[in-house]
Amino acid sequence: MKNKMYCYLPIFAFFLLGYPNGYSQTITMEVDMSEIVSEVQPTMYGVFFEDINFAADGGLYAEMIKNRSFEFAEPKMGWSEPNSDRHSLNNGSGMASVIKYPGESSNHNYLGITVKNDQGYSLINEGFRGMGIKKDALYDLSFMASTSQGSFSGLAVHFLDGEGNIVGGADIPIQAGKDWKKHTAQIKAEATVAKSRLRITFKGTGTFNLDMVSLFPKDTWRGRKNGLRKDLVQLLYDLDPGFLRFPGGCIVEGRTLAKRYQWKKTVGPVADREILVNRWNTEFSHRPTPDYFQSFGIGFFEYFQLSEDLGAEPLPILSCGMACQFNTGELVPMEELDPYVQDALDLIEFANGSLDTPWGKVREEMGHPAPFNLKFIGVGNEQWGPEYIERFKVFEKAIRDKFPQITIVSGSGPFPDGDYFEYGLQELKRLNAQLVDEHYYRGPEWFRKNAARYDDYDRNGPKIFAGEYAAQSVATASPLNRNNWECALSEAAFMTGLERNAEVVHLTSYAPLMAHEEGWQWTPDLIWFNNLESYGTANYYVQKMFSTHRGSHVVPITRNKLPLTGQDQLFASAVKERDSNELFVKLVNTGDMEMATNVKIKGGKVAPRARLIRMQNDQLEAVNSFGEPKNIGPQESEAAMKGNTLPLILPPYSFTVVRIGTK
């Protein structure tokens, strides 16, 4: 378990002196350390990544140039020519035209630039809602270029601030020639600017060809060149996730089968990965993003590598031959399903295969000879109906026949109840499915009322993957949803039920994971970021408090021999950690009154003091923000045990983790 840092608060007097006067009732809970209910899977709390809300390009993937290889539907989107022939009344200095490469290639276009005079023809890239640069930081620029005719001495590249002032730059000499050559430079930022742009100015005249213009901060996660944004990965790392699910989400399915996510197109050299329109591009009329495409700079290799960095199990989800049923619902005919099934088998070989297998060799060539040790694979995202079950059976048989050690994740549809859900769960039980993915996007009250959802689930049936959930403060997919404290607190109450039923629930993840402040399509989201900063929401810290206090075994916590599932608006779960001999008790008070409690520990001796990690806010509408990133977050204190009993006051609207050392 990774080390955790918290702010320290004074020890409150009532922890030491007992309860203040005025409490009419003290609630007594009993934790029996000697009774093991079930094991907690290492995968219990993980993260779900989908390229929605500019989470990949413009977010986690640290590339700063938008449309770097001129492959968008509008090939010059993101680029401007302020002094070109097209924009000058006085016959400007040059012009750029999109030219197609001959033959079949995943990289279809490049930019042909004609510079007529020395008046400073330039191109400007706007970045992803601007480019965030930090004073004195270094940025690595690269591009492919060739010259057809004329005389070029080089290029000048500059960062521009919002007023057009130069805030960093470099000169790049150009060696003339018709062969494509890679050129590089490093730019040092002279100021911190949230919305800078990059200007490229051409020195000389003639015809110049340009492609694959790329700009990355030098300081990336683990120092990997052209890698991932450091602050965003750090937020994921701090969650200590048990798994990373990728690449989605509805993005797996595509609006049509032709636009589905195809993992084989996302591996190999980055420049050869064919760009694809993002399925969230125009999904919502309230948030159209026509400039949202996928460069696949984060492809399946990078997802596996990120899983490894996080110490998380990789959990890829693949298309089952059904486009999103909220869109076209296009189906591949059953007699044409084989290539989709082969994609799944080849992916397992890519992840785990020896170097003498075709896809294991690809993995080695990308720099990872050792297997990724894939244990899970998902078939379909949230499809429903007989068409899904029919296709799932084909995938399941093929995977089990060739790779029986792989756990197969199936789906029960997009809703946690109703006809689609009931049909899917019934059929998957009949098929003895291993792991069923359930999704819940409901109001905060639903989460509180469903804390006992899995108490009566069949222990002999499929295990559960709570793959996507988030309390919706207004309505599902409403642009007005907020990551407020009521939502986070209600999720904490629900999660006590997930943890209490760890015998059935083996994986859980909040969704969506990330959102750009100006590029989002869906709310709420676990982590928010802009071009310079990022912060975890209240929901993020709830997830962190559970995941960093995962424990190894569930032990019972009861009141009058019953689990606490909302009686007097109190929710609870308890686990113990085998390695550290610690007991972790989670207590959620969703009521508006303080609550006096006694937590009695049976079945072993305990340390004289307990550590308390608590989130609390009297305002259910309170949120974290860029201005107040830790307005709601964990704070730590201590409390004295009285023998084997911990007297504890639970503030209104609070979530508390109690850590007790045991012998």
Side-chain angles (χ1 to χ4, degrees):
M1 185 174 293
K2 302 183 180 83
N3 293 327
K4 299 168 284 294
M5 298 295 293
Y6 296 97
C7 299
Y8 282 83
L9 292 180
I11 301 172
F12 293 104
F14 59 73
F15 291 136
L16 304 179
L17 303 177
Y19 300 131
N21 294 328
Y23 286 95
S24 58
Q25 179 187 16
T26 298
I27 293 175
T28 298
M29 294 167 275
E30 189 172 87
V31 180
D32 189 348
M33 293 192 301
S34 66
E35 183 181 344
I36 300 299
V37 175
S38 66
E39 289 189 15
V40 179
Q41 298 299 315
T43 55
M44 184 66 179
Y45 303 109
V47 290
F48 159 90
F49 184 87
E50 179 167 12
D51 189 4
I52 185 174
N53 305 316
F54 277 47
D57 291 290
L60 188 65
Y61 186 49
E63 172 68 81
M64 300 168 69
I65 300 290
K66 181 164 69 179
N67 192 15
R68 62 188 175 189
S69 57
F70 314 104
E71 302 293 320
F72 283 17
E74 297 178 21
K76 288 198 286 184
M77 180 178 278
W79 296 89
S80 60
E81 307 168 80
N83 56 350
S84 74
D85 289 358
R86 293 185 176 91
H87 300 290
S88 175
L89 297 177
N90 299 316
N91 195 17
S93 58
M95 185 172 65
S97 301
V98 176
I99 302 174
K100 291 190 176 296
Y101 285 105
E104 295 294 327
S105 171
S106 55
N107 186 355
H108 302 286
N109 303 327
Y110 65 93
L111 211 58
I113 300 160
T114 301
V115 182
K116 295 164 43 179
N117 53 48
D118 60 0
Q119 295 178 11
Y121 173 79
S122 60
L123 292 169
I124 294 178
N125 189 271
E126 65 188 32
F128 297 91
R129 307 301 187 265
M131 300 178 184
I133 60 173
K134 298 181 180 180
K135 188 176 187 301
D136 295 329
L138 299 175
Y139 297 86
D140 292 326
L141 176 75
S142 64
F143 58 88
M144 299 296 296
S146 69
T147 57
S148 299
Q149 59 184 9
S151 175
F152 285 95
S153 60
L155 304 179
V157 292
H158 295 103
F159 284 130
L160 306 178
D161 65 13
E163 288 71 46
N165 302 309
I166 292 175
V167 286
D171 290 319
I172 307 171
I174 295 295
Q175 194 172 21
K178 295 183 178 181
D179 293 333
W180 286 95
K181 295 179 182 177
K182 185 175 183 178
H183 299 266
T184 62
Q186 198 167 80
I187 309 174
K188 183 177 181 179
E190 298 171 356
T192 296
V193 182
K195 289 179 173 290
S196 70
R197 297 167 295 154
L198 184 76
R199 183 179 68 193
I200 303 173
T201 303
F202 296 81
K203 299 178 181 180
T205 59
T207 303
F208 190 94
N209 299 319
L210 185 66
D211 200 2
M212 201 62 186
V213 186
S214 182
L215 181 70
F216 281 84
K218 184 174 181 61
D219 187 19
T220 59
W221 172 254
R222 295 203 168 176
R224 291 196 182 103
K225 190 172 182 64
N226 297 356
L228 304 184
R229 184 168 150 175
K230 191 174 181 179
D231 61 325
L232 294 180
V233 182
Q234 188 66 54
L235 283 167
L236 302 185
Y237 183 85
D238 291 345
L239 286 172
D240 191 16
F243 67 89
L244 172 66
R245 171 181 162 181
F246 58 87
C250 294
I251 207 164
V252 171
E253 307 158 358
R255 299 173 68 91
T256 66
L257 289 175
K259 299 298 183 182
R260 73 189 187 279
Y261 196 107
Q262 299 183 59
W263 76 266
K264 291 177 180 176
K265 294 184 176 182
T266 76
V267 297
V270 170
D272 295 338
R273 301 179 190 179
E274 185 168 7
I275 201 167
L276 180 68
V277 63
N278 191 295
R279 62 97 63 234
W280 298 108
N281 185 290
T282 54
E283 182 73 13
F284 298 118
S285 59
H286 60 262
R287 295 292 297 183
T289 50
D291 58 339
Y292 199 179
F293 288 75
Q294 295 175 275
S295 71
F296 297 115
I298 298 182
F300 262 51
F301 178 85
E302 289 76 19
Y303 284 128
F304 278 113
Q305 188 176 58
L306 178 59
S307 300
E308 197 170 68
D309 288 351
L310 298 176
E313 297 289 350
L315 202 175
I317 309 293
L318 297 185
S319 168
C320 65
M322 300 177 71
C324 181
Q325 288 166 278
F326 290 112
N327 298 139
T328 64
E330 183 183 0
L331 298 173
V332 65
M334 291 299 296
E335 63 272 17
E336 299 175 16
L337 192 60
D338 284 353
Y340 292 76
V341 176
Q342 191 62 48
D343 277 350
L345 300 178
D346 289 344
L347 176 61
I348 298 170
E349 181 179 286
F350 174 77
N352 294 351
S354 64
L355 303 185
D356 58 0
T357 62
W359 287 103
K361 183 66 175 175
V362 172
R363 185 190 69 242
E364 179 193 29
E365 291 169 351
M366 295 187 71
H368 201 286
F372 283 115
N373 195 26
L374 177 68
K375 298 175 184 174
F376 300 88
I377 192 167
V379 176
N381 172 48
E382 54 183 16
Q383 277 72 39
W384 64 81
E387 296 85 359
Y388 172 67
I389 298 299
E390 185 180 23
R391 285 159 178 77
F392 173 77
K393 288 191 291 187
V394 176
F395 276 85
E396 182 187 44
K397 183 179 187 310
I399 295 170
R400 283 188 173 177
D401 284 350
K402 189 168 184 180
F403 300 105
Q405 74 278 17
I406 297 292
T407 297
I408 304 169
V409 179
S410 54
S412 59
F415 310 119
D417 46 39
D419 292 344
Y420 294 154
F421 174 81
E422 296 297 337
Y423 171 80
L425 193 58
Q426 176 183 335
E427 290 298 307
L428 292 169
K429 283 183 177 180
R430 187 174 60 81
L431 293 172
N432 294 317
Q434 296 168 288
L435 195 57
V436 176
D437 182 8
E438 297 187 4
H439 296 178
Y440 335 94
Y441 293 109
R442 291 288 190 266
E445 185 179 9
W446 184 93
F447 284 87
R448 298 192 296 271
K449 286 184 175 179
N450 280 271
R453 176 181 177 91
Y454 296 106
D455 288 3
D456 297 323
Y457 255 49
D458 181 3
R459 266 44 187 170
N460 297 315
K463 304 308 179 186
I464 300 300
F465 174 20
E468 296 184 35
Y469 65 88
Q472 313 285 290
S473 65
V474 177
T476 303
S478 169
L480 302 178
N481 283 328
R482 305 186 76 209
N483 287 100
N484 65 34
W485 179 227
E486 181 185 12
C487 289
L489 187 66
S490 300
E491 289 157 8
F494 182 69
M495 291 174 75
T496 63
L498 299 180
E499 183 167 89
R500 193 176 60 253
N501 288 282
E503 182 182 3
V504 173
V505 182
H506 282 193
L507 304 90
T508 68
S509 52
Y510 184 103
L513 183 62
M514 294 180 179
H516 191 294
E517 180 186 25
E518 297 180 40
W520 58 269
Q521 295 83 51
W522 177 291
T523 59
D525 304 283
L526 200 65
I527 294 167
W528 285 83
F529 64 92
N530 56 30
N531 293 340
L532 291 174
E533 302 171 297
S534 57
Y535 71 87
T537 59
N539 317 70
Y540 171 88
Y541 288 108
V542 164
Q543 295 290 321
K544 183 177 179 180
M545 285 173 66
F546 272 92
S547 63
T548 55
H549 299 93
R550 181 183 297 116
S552 58
H553 295 86
V554 176
V555 294
I557 178 169
T558 57
R559 176 189 178 194
N560 298 326
K561 301 187 182 301
L562 296 174
L564 291 104
T565 60
Q567 306 92 318
D568 294 319
Q569 301 186 76
L570 178 63
F571 302 79
S573 62
V575 294
K576 68 178 184 180
E577 174 53 50
R578 174 181 48 220
D579 294 337
S580 65
N581 291 323
E582 283 187 287
L583 178 69
F584 304 145
V585 180
K586 283 108 173 180
L587 303 169
V588 184
N589 178 9
T590 61
D592 60 1
M593 300 290 291
E594 287 184 331
M595 186 177 294
T597 66
N598 281 325
V599 182
K600 296 179 65 175
I601 312 299
K602 291 175 54 180
K605 294 182 179 181
V606 298
R609 306 191 69 79
R611 293 170 60 194
L612 307 181
I613 304 159
R614 174 172 289 157
M615 295 177 66
Q616 194 275 330
N617 199 291
D618 291 334
Q619 303 300 316
L620 290 175
E621 295 302 313
V623 296
N624 290 348
S625 64
F626 288 103
E628 294 183 279
K630 294 187 178 179
N631 180 41
I632 312 170
Q635 298 177 327
E636 188 168 315
S637 60
E638 289 187 359
M641 300 290 298
K642 291 187 174 181
N644 270 32
T645 298
L646 176 65
L648 199 59
I649 301 297
L650 300 180
Y653 307 138
S654 66
F655 169 37
T656 305
V657 175
V658 182
R659 299 184 63 152
I660 303 173
T662 68
K663 297 181 181 178

